[in-house]
Amino acid sequence: MRFDPFREIEELTQRMDRAFGQASSGARLAPPVDVHEDEQGLELTLDLPGVQPDAIQIEAENNTLTVQAERRYARTDGRTAHRVERAYGTLARTFSVPAKYDLTKVEADFDHGTLTIRVPRSEAAQKRAVTVRSGGQLTAPKTVDAAAQPSGNAAQPSGTAQQA
């Protein structure tokens, strides 16, 4: 087998990371997310492979939604790791959520490593029928959007996360 100095450097770096605990602690990773919006509200879908459901924390406060999870590296005595490429540590994302969504009614489901979070529109932002009077006569009700805003105001990820 030919000598490859780059492979040797990569393996040495991995060994050092494992020796000093860098592979399992201190790392903050940003899991990938899809954000969709419809009439009912927002739906955020995050990939959290290898995370146990009890290791997930979701906090909603002051128009901010924070998702945090821990993926631990299982060390076993008497076993040598030749390659550790999967990410371990804290997975975290923070989203700025517009006021037209109700963070008090957040729902979350976790299935096969995929976390789905639903944030409904607030009742004040729901479409409703408004009766318009013209010359003292009632006309047919018209539906208006109480919180009409330009599109593109769905939850926006804020902050940055370092990747290991």
Side-chain angles (χ1 to χ4, degrees):
M1 182 174 184
R2 248 176 71 179
F3 175 73
D4 181 0
F6 297 107
R7 184 175 55 86
E8 295 295 323
I9 291 171
E10 179 183 327
E11 287 178 7
L12 178 61
T13 302
Q14 290 175 359
R15 286 181 188 159
M16 295 293 286
D17 286 347
R18 283 192 305 274
F20 292 107
Q22 297 299 316
S24 63
S25 64
R28 286 188 66 86
L29 309 163
V33 64
D34 293 336
V35 180
H36 295 97
E37 178 181 27
D38 61 17
E39 301 84 38
Q40 284 77 39
L42 291 175
E43 183 177 274
L44 297 90
T45 308
L46 293 92
D47 287 341
L48 300 174
V51 172
Q52 297 299 316
D54 60 349
I56 301 171
Q57 296 176 348
I58 301 171
E59 295 179 1
E61 181 180 34
N62 296 330
N63 294 355
T64 302
L65 182 69
T66 302
V67 178
Q68 189 167 327
E70 185 74 25
R71 182 171 167 183
R72 293 192 172 96
Y73 179 71
R75 295 177 190 258
T76 306
D77 289 339
R79 187 171 127 184
T80 302
H82 292 283
R83 195 171 287 277
V84 178
E85 294 182 352
R86 298 184 309 150
Y88 296 94
T90 301
L91 298 116
R93 290 297 291 261
T94 300
F95 304 92
S96 295
V97 180
K100 68 180 181 177
Y101 298 101
D102 190 349
L103 287 176
T104 64
K105 297 181 180 176
V106 173
E107 295 179 359
D109 294 309
F110 187 65
D111 187 38
H112 292 89
T114 300
L115 177 67
T116 303
I117 301 172
R118 285 174 209 73
V119 185
R121 283 185 183 253
S122 67
E123 290 193 24
Q126 296 289 333
K127 291 184 180 183
R128 59 185 176 272
V130 176
T131 304
V132 179
R133 294 178 189 205
S134 176
Q137 300 290 333
L138 291 177
T139 62
K142 298 184 189 232
T143 302
V144 296
D145 189 352
Q149 295 182 3
S151 64
N153 284 342
Q156 298 295 318
S158 64
T160 58
Q162 297 175 332
Q163 291 199 347

